[in-house]
Short mmCIF file of all heavy atoms in Angstrom, two decimals:
data_model
loop_
_atom_site.label_atom_id
_atom_site.label_comp_id
_atom_site.label_asym_id
_atom_site.label_seq_id
_atom_site.Cartn_x
_atom_site.Cartn_y
_atom_site.Cartn_z
N VAL A 12 -14.59 -47.31 78.08
CA VAL A 12 -14.61 -45.83 78.02
C VAL A 12 -14.35 -45.35 79.48
O VAL A 12 -14.83 -45.81 80.42
CB VAL A 12 -15.87 -45.30 77.48
CG1 VAL A 12 -17.10 -45.64 78.29
CG2 VAL A 12 -15.80 -43.77 77.28
N GLN A 13 -13.56 -44.26 79.55
CA GLN A 13 -13.27 -43.67 80.79
C GLN A 13 -14.48 -42.81 81.24
O GLN A 13 -15.20 -42.25 80.47
CB GLN A 13 -12.05 -42.77 80.67
CG GLN A 13 -11.51 -42.21 81.98
CD GLN A 13 -10.19 -41.46 81.75
OE1 GLN A 13 -9.89 -41.10 80.65
NE2 GLN A 13 -9.47 -41.21 82.82
N GLU A 14 -14.64 -42.73 82.55
CA GLU A 14 -15.73 -41.89 83.10
C GLU A 14 -15.48 -40.43 82.64
O GLU A 14 -14.37 -39.90 82.75
CB GLU A 14 -15.74 -41.94 84.63
CG GLU A 14 -16.93 -41.14 85.20
CD GLU A 14 -17.06 -41.36 86.70
OE1 GLU A 14 -16.18 -41.98 87.29
OE2 GLU A 14 -18.00 -40.86 87.30
N GLY A 15 -16.58 -39.87 82.08
CA GLY A 15 -16.46 -38.50 81.53
C GLY A 15 -16.05 -38.54 80.04
O GLY A 15 -16.11 -37.47 79.40
N GLY A 16 -15.86 -39.70 79.49
CA GLY A 16 -15.50 -39.83 78.13
C GLY A 16 -16.76 -39.97 77.20
O GLY A 16 -17.85 -39.83 77.67
N SER A 17 -16.48 -40.23 75.94
CA SER A 17 -17.55 -40.27 74.98
C SER A 17 -17.45 -41.51 74.14
O SER A 17 -16.42 -42.10 73.90
CB SER A 17 -17.43 -39.01 74.04
OG SER A 17 -17.61 -37.84 74.71
N LEU A 18 -18.67 -41.93 73.64
CA LEU A 18 -18.75 -43.06 72.67
C LEU A 18 -19.88 -42.76 71.71
O LEU A 18 -20.81 -42.02 72.08
CB LEU A 18 -19.07 -44.39 73.38
CG LEU A 18 -17.99 -45.17 74.01
CD1 LEU A 18 -18.49 -46.36 74.70
CD2 LEU A 18 -16.86 -45.58 73.09
N ARG A 19 -19.81 -43.27 70.52
CA ARG A 19 -20.86 -43.24 69.59
C ARG A 19 -21.30 -44.66 69.29
O ARG A 19 -20.55 -45.41 68.68
CB ARG A 19 -20.52 -42.47 68.33
CG ARG A 19 -21.82 -42.21 67.47
CD ARG A 19 -21.47 -41.48 66.15
NE ARG A 19 -20.82 -42.30 65.14
CZ ARG A 19 -20.80 -42.08 63.85
NH1 ARG A 19 -21.37 -40.95 63.41
NH2 ARG A 19 -20.12 -42.91 63.05
N LEU A 20 -22.53 -44.96 69.57
CA LEU A 20 -23.08 -46.27 69.26
C LEU A 20 -23.78 -46.23 67.94
O LEU A 20 -24.43 -45.16 67.56
CB LEU A 20 -24.09 -46.71 70.37
CG LEU A 20 -23.58 -46.70 71.77
CD1 LEU A 20 -24.66 -47.26 72.72
CD2 LEU A 20 -22.28 -47.48 71.90
N THR A 21 -23.75 -47.35 67.21
CA THR A 21 -24.41 -47.45 65.94
C THR A 21 -25.43 -48.59 65.93
O THR A 21 -25.08 -49.67 66.44
CB THR A 21 -23.40 -47.66 64.79
OG1 THR A 21 -22.52 -46.55 64.68
CG2 THR A 21 -24.11 -47.78 63.46
N CYS A 22 -26.59 -48.34 65.38
CA CYS A 22 -27.59 -49.39 65.21
C CYS A 22 -27.79 -49.56 63.68
O CYS A 22 -28.34 -48.59 63.07
CB CYS A 22 -28.84 -49.01 65.94
SG CYS A 22 -30.26 -50.17 65.67
N ALA A 23 -27.40 -50.62 63.10
CA ALA A 23 -27.53 -50.89 61.74
C ALA A 23 -28.82 -51.73 61.44
O ALA A 23 -28.98 -52.75 62.00
CB ALA A 23 -26.36 -51.57 61.16
N ALA A 24 -29.69 -51.30 60.58
CA ALA A 24 -30.90 -51.95 60.25
C ALA A 24 -30.78 -52.63 58.89
O ALA A 24 -30.17 -52.06 57.94
CB ALA A 24 -32.04 -51.02 60.29
N SER A 25 -31.41 -53.72 58.73
CA SER A 25 -31.42 -54.49 57.47
C SER A 25 -32.75 -55.18 57.30
O SER A 25 -33.41 -55.51 58.35
CB SER A 25 -30.27 -55.46 57.34
OG SER A 25 -30.33 -56.45 58.36
N GLY A 26 -33.17 -55.51 56.11
CA GLY A 26 -34.28 -56.30 55.84
C GLY A 26 -35.58 -55.51 55.55
O GLY A 26 -36.63 -56.07 55.17
N SER A 27 -35.57 -54.18 55.77
CA SER A 27 -36.72 -53.29 55.55
C SER A 27 -36.22 -51.89 55.37
O SER A 27 -35.11 -51.53 55.78
CB SER A 27 -37.72 -53.49 56.62
OG SER A 27 -38.87 -52.75 56.34
N THR A 28 -37.13 -51.06 54.89
CA THR A 28 -36.81 -49.60 54.81
C THR A 28 -36.77 -49.05 56.25
O THR A 28 -37.54 -49.47 57.11
CB THR A 28 -37.80 -48.88 53.95
OG1 THR A 28 -39.15 -49.13 54.44
CG2 THR A 28 -37.73 -49.36 52.51
N PHE A 29 -35.96 -48.02 56.38
CA PHE A 29 -35.68 -47.49 57.68
C PHE A 29 -36.39 -46.15 57.94
O PHE A 29 -36.71 -45.85 59.03
CB PHE A 29 -34.17 -47.27 57.76
CG PHE A 29 -33.70 -46.78 59.08
CD1 PHE A 29 -33.36 -47.69 60.11
CD2 PHE A 29 -33.48 -45.45 59.26
CE1 PHE A 29 -32.85 -47.23 61.33
CE2 PHE A 29 -33.00 -44.95 60.53
CZ PHE A 29 -32.65 -45.82 61.54
N ARG A 30 -36.64 -45.42 56.86
CA ARG A 30 -37.06 -44.01 57.01
C ARG A 30 -38.38 -43.80 57.77
O ARG A 30 -38.51 -42.84 58.51
CB ARG A 30 -37.20 -43.39 55.60
CG ARG A 30 -37.45 -41.91 55.64
CD ARG A 30 -37.45 -41.33 54.21
NE ARG A 30 -37.59 -39.90 54.26
CZ ARG A 30 -36.59 -39.04 54.37
NH1 ARG A 30 -35.37 -39.51 54.46
NH2 ARG A 30 -36.85 -37.76 54.38
N ASP A 31 -39.29 -44.73 57.62
CA ASP A 31 -40.62 -44.51 58.20
C ASP A 31 -40.78 -45.19 59.59
O ASP A 31 -41.89 -45.16 60.06
CB ASP A 31 -41.69 -45.16 57.25
CG ASP A 31 -41.80 -44.44 55.92
OD1 ASP A 31 -41.47 -43.25 55.86
OD2 ASP A 31 -42.17 -45.13 54.89
N LEU A 32 -39.76 -45.52 60.19
CA LEU A 32 -39.77 -46.26 61.44
C LEU A 32 -39.37 -45.34 62.65
O LEU A 32 -38.43 -44.57 62.56
CB LEU A 32 -38.88 -47.48 61.46
CG LEU A 32 -39.23 -48.55 60.45
CD1 LEU A 32 -38.20 -49.66 60.50
CD2 LEU A 32 -40.65 -49.11 60.70
N THR A 33 -40.12 -45.44 63.74
CA THR A 33 -39.68 -44.91 64.96
C THR A 33 -38.58 -45.88 65.54
O THR A 33 -38.76 -47.06 65.55
CB THR A 33 -40.84 -44.82 65.93
OG1 THR A 33 -41.78 -43.88 65.48
CG2 THR A 33 -40.38 -44.41 67.32
N MET A 34 -37.51 -45.24 65.94
CA MET A 34 -36.37 -46.05 66.52
C MET A 34 -36.03 -45.48 67.92
O MET A 34 -36.22 -44.32 68.26
CB MET A 34 -35.14 -45.83 65.58
CG MET A 34 -35.34 -46.29 64.17
SD MET A 34 -35.69 -48.02 64.04
CE MET A 34 -34.11 -48.69 64.62
N GLY A 35 -35.46 -46.39 68.69
CA GLY A 35 -35.09 -46.04 70.05
C GLY A 35 -33.81 -46.69 70.53
O GLY A 35 -33.44 -47.78 70.03
N TRP A 36 -33.21 -46.08 71.49
CA TRP A 36 -32.02 -46.60 72.19
C TRP A 36 -32.39 -46.88 73.62
O TRP A 36 -33.12 -46.10 74.27
CB TRP A 36 -30.91 -45.62 72.20
CG TRP A 36 -30.03 -45.63 70.89
CD1 TRP A 36 -30.07 -44.73 69.89
CD2 TRP A 36 -29.09 -46.62 70.51
NE1 TRP A 36 -29.19 -45.08 68.91
CE2 TRP A 36 -28.62 -46.22 69.31
CE3 TRP A 36 -28.63 -47.79 71.08
CZ2 TRP A 36 -27.60 -46.96 68.62
CZ3 TRP A 36 -27.65 -48.56 70.42
CH2 TRP A 36 -27.20 -48.10 69.17
N PHE A 37 -31.89 -48.00 74.14
CA PHE A 37 -32.19 -48.47 75.50
C PHE A 37 -30.96 -48.99 76.17
O PHE A 37 -29.92 -49.21 75.52
CB PHE A 37 -33.20 -49.60 75.43
CG PHE A 37 -34.42 -49.23 74.66
CD1 PHE A 37 -34.43 -49.36 73.23
CD2 PHE A 37 -35.58 -48.77 75.20
CE1 PHE A 37 -35.53 -49.05 72.48
CE2 PHE A 37 -36.71 -48.45 74.47
CZ PHE A 37 -36.67 -48.58 73.06
N ARG A 38 -30.99 -49.08 77.48
CA ARG A 38 -29.91 -49.69 78.18
C ARG A 38 -30.45 -50.57 79.36
O ARG A 38 -31.53 -50.39 79.80
CB ARG A 38 -28.91 -48.66 78.72
CG ARG A 38 -29.51 -47.64 79.73
CD ARG A 38 -28.48 -46.54 80.00
NE ARG A 38 -29.06 -45.55 80.89
CZ ARG A 38 -28.51 -44.34 81.12
NH1 ARG A 38 -27.39 -44.03 80.43
NH2 ARG A 38 -29.11 -43.48 81.94
N GLN A 39 -29.61 -51.53 79.72
CA GLN A 39 -30.06 -52.46 80.74
C GLN A 39 -28.87 -53.00 81.51
O GLN A 39 -27.89 -53.47 80.97
CB GLN A 39 -30.78 -53.65 80.08
CG GLN A 39 -31.38 -54.66 81.07
CD GLN A 39 -32.16 -55.76 80.36
OE1 GLN A 39 -31.88 -56.11 79.23
NE2 GLN A 39 -33.11 -56.29 81.07
N ALA A 40 -28.97 -52.83 82.85
CA ALA A 40 -28.02 -53.37 83.78
C ALA A 40 -28.40 -54.76 84.13
O ALA A 40 -29.57 -55.15 84.04
CB ALA A 40 -27.88 -52.46 84.99
N PRO A 41 -27.43 -55.58 84.60
CA PRO A 41 -27.74 -56.96 84.94
C PRO A 41 -28.86 -57.10 85.96
O PRO A 41 -28.81 -56.39 87.02
CB PRO A 41 -26.46 -57.53 85.50
CG PRO A 41 -25.41 -56.65 84.79
CD PRO A 41 -25.97 -55.30 84.69
N GLY A 42 -29.85 -57.89 85.66
CA GLY A 42 -30.97 -58.08 86.66
C GLY A 42 -31.97 -56.97 86.69
O GLY A 42 -32.87 -57.02 87.53
N LYS A 43 -31.87 -55.99 85.80
CA LYS A 43 -32.79 -54.88 85.86
C LYS A 43 -33.55 -54.78 84.54
O LYS A 43 -33.21 -55.38 83.54
CB LYS A 43 -32.03 -53.58 86.11
CG LYS A 43 -31.40 -53.52 87.44
CD LYS A 43 -30.72 -52.10 87.70
CE LYS A 43 -30.12 -52.06 89.06
NZ LYS A 43 -29.46 -50.74 89.28
N GLU A 44 -34.63 -53.97 84.55
CA GLU A 44 -35.51 -53.78 83.38
C GLU A 44 -34.68 -52.82 82.43
O GLU A 44 -33.90 -52.04 82.82
CB GLU A 44 -36.81 -53.21 83.74
CG GLU A 44 -37.65 -54.15 84.62
CD GLU A 44 -38.14 -55.36 83.82
OE1 GLU A 44 -38.35 -55.23 82.57
OE2 GLU A 44 -38.21 -56.41 84.46
N ARG A 45 -35.04 -52.99 81.14
CA ARG A 45 -34.52 -52.05 80.14
C ARG A 45 -35.07 -50.67 80.37
O ARG A 45 -36.24 -50.45 80.72
CB ARG A 45 -34.85 -52.51 78.77
CG ARG A 45 -34.04 -53.69 78.24
CD ARG A 45 -34.58 -54.20 76.94
NE ARG A 45 -33.67 -55.20 76.35
CZ ARG A 45 -33.98 -56.07 75.46
NH1 ARG A 45 -35.19 -56.10 75.07
NH2 ARG A 45 -33.08 -56.87 74.98
N GLU A 46 -34.17 -49.71 80.17
CA GLU A 46 -34.52 -48.35 80.30
C GLU A 46 -34.42 -47.57 78.97
O GLU A 46 -33.48 -47.77 78.24
CB GLU A 46 -33.53 -47.59 81.33
CG GLU A 46 -33.70 -46.14 81.42
CD GLU A 46 -32.55 -45.45 82.20
OE1 GLU A 46 -31.57 -46.12 82.47
OE2 GLU A 46 -32.68 -44.27 82.59
N THR A 47 -35.47 -46.81 78.66
CA THR A 47 -35.42 -46.01 77.44
C THR A 47 -34.46 -44.89 77.58
O THR A 47 -34.58 -44.02 78.48
CB THR A 47 -36.81 -45.52 77.11
OG1 THR A 47 -37.73 -46.61 76.91
CG2 THR A 47 -36.79 -44.75 75.82
N VAL A 48 -33.47 -44.79 76.71
CA VAL A 48 -32.48 -43.74 76.72
C VAL A 48 -32.91 -42.57 75.84
O VAL A 48 -32.88 -41.42 76.24
CB VAL A 48 -31.11 -44.20 76.33
CG1 VAL A 48 -30.09 -43.10 76.25
CG2 VAL A 48 -30.67 -45.27 77.30
N SER A 49 -33.34 -42.91 74.66
CA SER A 49 -33.72 -41.93 73.70
C SER A 49 -34.64 -42.51 72.61
O SER A 49 -34.52 -43.72 72.32
CB SER A 49 -32.46 -41.28 73.03
OG SER A 49 -32.85 -40.32 72.10
N CYS A 50 -35.48 -41.71 72.04
CA CYS A 50 -36.38 -42.19 71.00
C CYS A 50 -36.41 -41.17 69.88
O CYS A 50 -36.45 -39.98 70.15
CB CYS A 50 -37.80 -42.29 71.59
SG CYS A 50 -39.11 -42.78 70.31
N PHE A 51 -36.39 -41.68 68.64
CA PHE A 51 -36.42 -40.87 67.49
C PHE A 51 -37.70 -41.25 66.71
O PHE A 51 -37.68 -42.31 66.00
CB PHE A 51 -35.19 -41.05 66.56
CG PHE A 51 -34.92 -39.87 65.70
CD1 PHE A 51 -33.62 -39.35 65.59
CD2 PHE A 51 -35.90 -39.23 64.96
CE1 PHE A 51 -33.32 -38.33 64.81
CE2 PHE A 51 -35.58 -38.19 64.18
CZ PHE A 51 -34.30 -37.72 64.06
N PRO A 52 -38.78 -40.52 66.77
CA PRO A 52 -40.02 -40.89 66.18
C PRO A 52 -39.98 -40.71 64.62
O PRO A 52 -39.14 -39.93 64.09
CB PRO A 52 -41.05 -39.93 66.80
CG PRO A 52 -40.23 -38.72 67.15
CD PRO A 52 -38.92 -39.22 67.52
N ARG A 53 -40.90 -41.31 63.98
CA ARG A 53 -41.09 -41.11 62.52
C ARG A 53 -41.87 -39.87 62.32
O ARG A 53 -42.31 -39.17 63.25
CB ARG A 53 -41.84 -42.34 61.94
CG ARG A 53 -43.23 -42.51 62.49
CD ARG A 53 -43.94 -43.67 61.81
NE ARG A 53 -44.22 -43.45 60.43
CZ ARG A 53 -44.86 -44.29 59.64
NH1 ARG A 53 -45.28 -45.45 60.13
NH2 ARG A 53 -45.08 -43.99 58.36
N ASN A 54 -42.08 -39.51 61.06
CA ASN A 54 -42.96 -38.37 60.64
C ASN A 54 -42.40 -37.03 61.06
O ASN A 54 -43.21 -36.09 61.22
CB ASN A 54 -44.38 -38.56 61.13
CG ASN A 54 -45.03 -39.81 60.56
OD1 ASN A 54 -44.71 -40.20 59.44
ND2 ASN A 54 -45.92 -40.39 61.27
N GLY A 55 -41.16 -36.92 61.36
CA GLY A 55 -40.48 -35.59 61.53
C GLY A 55 -40.68 -35.06 62.95
O GLY A 55 -40.29 -33.84 63.15
N PHE A 56 -41.14 -35.76 63.93
CA PHE A 56 -41.23 -35.34 65.27
C PHE A 56 -39.83 -35.28 65.92
O PHE A 56 -38.94 -36.03 65.47
CB PHE A 56 -42.18 -36.17 66.10
CG PHE A 56 -43.58 -36.09 65.61
CD1 PHE A 56 -44.15 -37.03 64.90
CD2 PHE A 56 -44.33 -34.94 66.00
CE1 PHE A 56 -45.52 -36.98 64.52
CE2 PHE A 56 -45.68 -34.89 65.61
CZ PHE A 56 -46.23 -35.86 64.80
#
Side-chain angles (χ1 to χ4, degrees):
V12 63
Q13 189 175 17
E14 185 175 6
S17 299
L18 281 177
R19 189 180 74 160
L20 306 182
T21 298
C22 173
S25 62
S27 182
T28 57
F29 184 87
R30 185 175 186 88
D31 295 332
L32 298 177
T33 293
M34 302 294 297
W36 280 104
F37 309 82
R38 62 189 178 194
Q39 185 175 27
K43 297 184 178 180
E44 297 292 326
R45 282 172 172 160
E46 174 191 11
T47 302
V48 175
S49 181
C50 177
F51 205 135
R53 62 179 294 183
N54 299 330
F56 293 102

